[in-house]
Amino acid sequence: MSTGIQTVGVAGSGTMGAGIAIVAIRAGFKTIVYDSREEALSRARKQTEGFFAKSVERKKLAPEQVPKILANLSATTDIEAMAACDIVIEAVFEDLKVKHDLLARLGQICPPRTLFASNTSTLSITEIAAGSNRDDRCVGMHFCLPAQLMKLVEMSPGLRTSEETFKTAWEFCKAMGQVPVKTKDSPGFILNYFLVPFNNDAIRLVEAGVATPSDIDRAVKSGLGYPMGPLELLDLVGLDTHLLVSEALYASTHEPRAAVPALVKRMIAAGHLGRKTGQGFYAYQGNAMFGG
Ligand SMILES: NC(=O)c1ccc[n+]([C@@H]2O[C@H](COP(=O)([O-])OP(=O)(O)OC[C@H]3O[C@@H](n4cnc5c(N)ncnc54)[C@H](O)[C@@H]3O)[C@@H](O)[C@H]2O)c1
């Protein structure tokens, strides 16, 4: 099925937006990334170039393919550029008001054909879509971290999403080389419903001094066969994002294990957000990880 999607917009160029843009340009889509902060765009550009340089090094890509792929990418701080997109995937902060305001503005800027997709981890697609001026053409597309390496996308229709929108977004997801799985518009969808409480449990073990981050991660990897431990993963996710995601999940489920441990707020106050600031449960220098 042809989706009619040629130009992709990504709104928010942080941890997730940067990876989603890599997925889109690698699959050959013209992609415009929008962020309100110039530094987020330049950081993502560097990360993108680094990713494709590594792909060449690992012989997964011929060197001559890289300029062609990178030519698909443009970046801007001007939201009006989203008017050229057939679909906009939003990956801004996990905050209902921020997402709501963004989609309301995009609803004014984009032509009626443009579909909106949200990468929210825990918020309601139906609520995000309300006020977008096209809630029948909004859909949940939850990529996993890091999006450029993980194939899964949880796809959720909101209460007012049309069947045609869902079908188009599903086919578009496959055209990007991703693996879609359908879920209801439900807090945390599949993965974060159990992963967020699980990660909070791991933080509570650190808080209580039961074991060090590296011993907890080692136990989870060698005992449960997970490729990554919960504290390494949290450093990759970002403690700031984890706080927002936990709060949103707790607000909608009242699951006590979704409540964020106090240590997270102290780490955020100290600037220990994880890999993005060079310090989280572990310390980082470039890609090297220390301590824990
Ligand atoms: N980090 C993860 O592991 C992960 C995984 C899957 C989904 N998500 C979801 O993806 C979304 C983004 O998370 P993230 O970790 O990439 O966050 P992030 O903080 O790393 O990046 C968010 C980016 O959005 C930009 N932004 C915020 N408000 C904006 C606005 N109104 N207009 C334009 N740009 C704006 C910020 O400048 C920032 O660069 C959230 O909904 C989160 O729940 C995160």
Side-chain angles (χ1 to χ4, degrees):
M1 170 188 162
S2 162
T3 61
I5 293 174
Q6 290 176 344
T7 305
V8 176
V10 178
S13 183
T15 306
M16 288 309 291
I20 295 169
I22 290 176
V23 171
I25 60 173
R26 183 175 57 193
F29 292 97
K30 290 270 166 233
T31 303
I32 306 170
V33 180
Y34 156 69
D35 199 291
S36 47
R37 293 181 310 124
E38 188 67 60
E39 62 270 28
L41 295 172
S42 45
R43 186 186 160 109
R45 176 93 204 176
K46 247 193 230 151
Q47 194 186 331
T48 304
E49 287 169 357
F51 174 78
F52 287 112
K54 266 248 156 67
S55 304
V56 170
E57 229 174 270
R58 292 183 177 152
K59 309 231 175 302
K60 290 189 169 166
L61 206 60
E64 59 274 17
Q65 286 176 280
V66 176
K68 202 173 147 206
I69 293 173
L70 290 178
N72 287 330
L73 182 66
S74 60
T76 180
T77 52
D78 180 8
I79 194 170
E80 302 277 340
M82 295 287 102
C85 300
D86 302 304
I87 187 167
V88 178
I89 305 170
E90 75 75 18
V92 297
F93 300 138
E94 186 76 340
D95 178 306
L96 184 58
K97 179 155 174 22
V98 172
K99 290 187 188 293
H100 213 240
D101 290 351
L102 176 81
L103 288 212
R105 183 80 188 102
L106 288 173
Q108 295 164 341
I109 291 169
C110 296
R113 70 167 197 283
T114 307
L115 302 184
F116 295 160
S118 174
N119 187 49
T120 182
S121 307
T122 43
L123 297 169
S124 158
I125 302 302
T126 312
E127 285 182 59
I128 292 170
S132 66
N133 166 30
R134 62 190 76 197
D135 53 3
D136 57 325
R137 278 156 289 152
C138 293
V139 65
M141 279 186 89
H142 178 244
F143 290 75
C144 296
L145 178 73
Q148 63 272 31
L149 299 180
M150 305 296 279
K151 292 278 172 212
L152 180 72
V153 180
E154 292 174 316
M155 304 231 11
S156 322
L159 284 182
R160 290 184 47 82
T161 306
S162 72
E163 259 182 53
E164 194 192 338
T165 298
F166 190 76
K167 230 164 131 183
T168 305
W170 182 273
E171 292 304 320
F172 164 65
C173 181
K174 290 201 289 185
M176 285 195 297
Q178 300 296 105
V179 176
V181 165
K182 186 174 179 182
T183 87
K184 268 192 178 171
D185 180 14
S186 171
F189 308 111
I190 301 169
L191 291 188
N192 281 311
Y193 184 77
F194 59 82
L195 193 59
V196 173
F198 176 82
N199 288 343
N200 280 329
D201 285 345
I203 300 170
R204 278 186 262 275
L205 288 179
V206 176
E207 242 178 358
V210 172
T212 61
S214 55
D215 281 340
I216 294 168
D217 284 342
R218 200 169 304 127
V220 169
K221 287 189 283 188
S222 10
L224 298 178
Y226 285 26
M228 202 181 241
L231 300 155
E232 293 172 78
L233 178 63
L234 282 162
D235 273 0
L236 198 59
V237 167
L239 272 292
D240 50 347
T241 295
H242 178 69
L243 172 69
L244 296 175
V245 164
S246 285
E247 286 182 341
L249 189 65
Y250 183 76
S252 52
T253 61
H254 296 289
E255 160 59 53
R257 290 173 58 234
V260 76
L263 177 61
V264 171
K265 288 190 180 165
R266 286 205 297 277
M267 289 177 70
I268 292 171
H272 295 179
L273 305 186
R275 279 186 181 265
K276 56 179 141 185
T277 58
Q279 176 71 55
F281 290 101
Y282 299 88
Y284 299 88
Q285 236 166 30
N287 280 333
M289 181 168 111
F290 304 93

